[in-house]
Amino acid sequence: QVHLVESGGGLVQAGGSRRLSCVASGSIFSLNVMGWYRQAPGRREVAERELVAEITSSDSTTYADSVKGRFTISRDNAKNTVYLQMNSLKPEDTAVYYCNALIGLSDDGSTWYGWGQGTQVTVSS
């Protein structure tokens, strides 16, 4: 079993910065793909989560157009942790941010896919 725990959310003024962390724990063989999604206020379905950024095991990154140039995703494999550095925050970045991961469980190719519990980021104008 794998668990993802996010931290770093909170209230920040527009133009400010925040760094989110997501630590994976459990039976981890490899961190394949890790990402950050967000869910805007009033949206409740998992399908309504928006991809913010993701990073692969080869450090290839993908960003939503709305955050390019402002957010940076990175990972520390030794700590089983992925980070999201958010700069120049805007009120429209207000959302619950969820960590998402595809994790290898062993060298037989078995994997785990799941979500963290989410962390609220609120950007005031």
Side-chain angles (χ1 to χ4, degrees):
Q1 183 70 0
V2 176
H3 295 278
L4 302 176
V5 178
E6 302 101 331
S7 62
L11 177 64
V12 60
Q13 288 189 332
S17 298
R18 203 84 183 176
R19 190 176 83 153
L20 305 182
S21 301
C22 172
V23 180
S25 62
S27 302
I28 298 169
F29 178 75
S30 62
L31 300 178
N32 295 351
V33 182
M34 298 192 77
W36 289 95
Y37 285 70
R38 65 188 180 186
Q39 194 157 16
R43 302 192 179 220
R44 298 185 178 276
E45 301 297 325
V46 174
E48 295 179 294
R49 294 177 183 176
E50 169 195 21
L51 173 65
V52 177
E54 70 175 16
I55 185 167
T56 70
S57 57
S58 59
D59 287 338
S60 175
T61 57
T62 301
Y63 293 94
D65 287 342
S66 59
V67 307
K68 283 180 181 177
R70 299 188 299 122
F71 291 10
T72 303
I73 190 170
S74 61
R75 58 195 287 163
D76 184 335
N77 290 335
K79 296 181 178 179
N80 289 337
T81 300
V82 64
Y83 303 98
L84 185 69
Q85 177 65 43
M86 305 184 294
N87 298 329
S88 302
L89 283 161
K90 304 175 181 179
E92 51 263 44
D93 294 318
T94 294
V96 178
Y97 284 72
Y98 293 90
C99 180
N100 170 268
L102 176 65
I103 290 174
L105 299 177
S106 73
D107 58 5
D108 67 0
S110 58
T111 57
W112 178 91
Y113 175 84
W115 300 87
Q117 82 287 351
T119 185
Q120 175 72 47
V121 174
T122 302
V123 184
S124 63
S125 57

